Amino acid sequence: MDLLLHICCGPCSLFVIDDLRKAYPSCRLEGLFVNPNIHPREEFLRRQESTRQACSYKKLPLDLLPDYDQECWETFSGETAARCRMCYAKRLEKTARYAAEKGFTHFTTSLLVSPYQDQEALRQWGEAAASRYGVSFLYRDFRPGFRSGQQQARDLGLYRQKYCGCIKSLEERTVERKQERIRPKPGSNDPAEAAGGRDENDV
Ligand code: SF4
């Protein structure tokens, strides 16, 4: 198997790379950073750099695509779930096309490690994109390794983002944080606890 891993950010890639190497020890594995959703450009560059550092640490070959295309996220007026499906579709489509062009037989995504992403939608859009380009989508539930991957990122000092990525998610997170400051959980001085147990860096 020749497997291409779509990487959304460095922290999410760490456990996924280890897990894939363990599950498929003889496969050719390479990474691809293609995330035109990330706003603003400074944040895009930070996540690209954290991905480069993570792959360097794991000795994983990596390609970085400079796609940065904000208009469809800025102007999207539908509900959040529909926006995220569009976001998955765009990133997985680009990954599937790259996989076919570079001779990979399969691709998957580090988005599948996050408990905050929609696994079923990722699987559907991954399989749809794969069928258009004559490759296969490898679905694997990496979520059991989410916390250990984030801990590895902390230990390595990697940049860990505070919101999912697009301009709308930045706006939503800004509103949430304002509300958390106004209404802290009674009896708690811990910001993570006050946020309902969600670490401010969780994505
Ligand atoms: S919230 Fe995250 S997955 Fe959804 S559209 Fe924004 S960046 Fe994409």
Side-chain angles (χ1 to χ4, degrees):
M1 176 164 66
D2 295 299
L3 177 58
L4 179 67
L5 171 62
H6 165 257
I7 299 179
C8 57
C9 63
C12 285
S13 72
L14 295 168
F15 170 81
V16 172
I17 294 167
D18 291 344
D19 184 66
L20 288 170
R21 282 183 168 152
K22 200 167 156 191
Y24 307 103
S26 60
C27 91
R28 166 191 166 213
L29 178 64
E30 295 186 16
L32 177 69
F33 181 91
V34 55
N35 298 290
N37 52 315
I38 299 169
H39 172 91
R41 183 175 287 280
E42 294 71 31
E43 179 74 12
F44 176 87
L45 294 173
R46 269 187 219 117
R47 295 192 198 187
Q48 186 177 262
E49 177 59 15
S50 80
T51 300
R52 195 192 59 70
Q53 290 173 348
C55 290
S56 171
Y57 177 71
K58 295 290 182 186
K59 297 186 172 32
L60 184 82
L62 171 71
D63 200 359
L64 304 161
L65 297 191
D67 292 35
Y68 187 73
D69 166 23
Q70 283 299 298
E71 196 182 342
C72 54
W73 279 273
E74 285 165 358
T75 57
F76 193 87
S77 59
E79 54 160 7
T80 302
R83 186 183 78 227
C84 295
R85 287 195 295 273
M86 172 198 75
C87 186
Y88 300 154
K90 283 186 178 293
R91 290 189 274 175
L92 295 175
E93 182 84 13
K94 287 172 187 283
T95 306
R97 185 187 311 137
Y98 182 100
E101 286 171 0
K102 302 288 183 182
F104 291 90
T105 56
H106 294 71
F107 72 96
T108 189
T109 174
S110 62
L111 288 163
L112 288 167
V113 81
S114 171
Y116 303 105
Q117 303 295 347
D118 182 336
Q119 293 269 317
E120 197 45 45
L122 284 167
R123 182 208 283 261
Q124 285 173 7
W125 287 105
E127 289 175 352
S131 71
R132 279 193 286 280
Y133 291 93
V135 293
S136 299
F137 181 68
L138 177 72
Y139 173 77
R140 196 168 165 86
D141 184 355
F142 299 110
R143 287 175 295 183
F146 178 71
R147 295 285 166 202
S148 71
Q150 294 294 315
Q151 187 57 50
Q152 274 196 68
R154 272 187 213 100
D155 295 343
L156 290 170
L158 284 191
Y159 170 68
R160 297 169 61 239
Q161 61 266 23
K162 297 173 178 57
Y163 60 99
C164 192
C166 66
I167 187 168
K168 306 278 185 189
S169 66
L170 174 57
E171 290 165 359
E172 287 160 4
R173 189 68 187 122
T174 304
V175 170
E176 276 174 24
R177 295 193 73 183
K178 275 187 190 148
Q179 289 171 345
E180 286 159 17
R181 278 199 290 272
I182 294 166
R183 292 196 299 275
K185 196 172 172 182
S188 174
N189 293 320
D190 177 352
E193 192 184 339
R198 180 171 169 165
D199 187 304
E200 68 167 2
N201 288 97
D202 286 355
V203 292

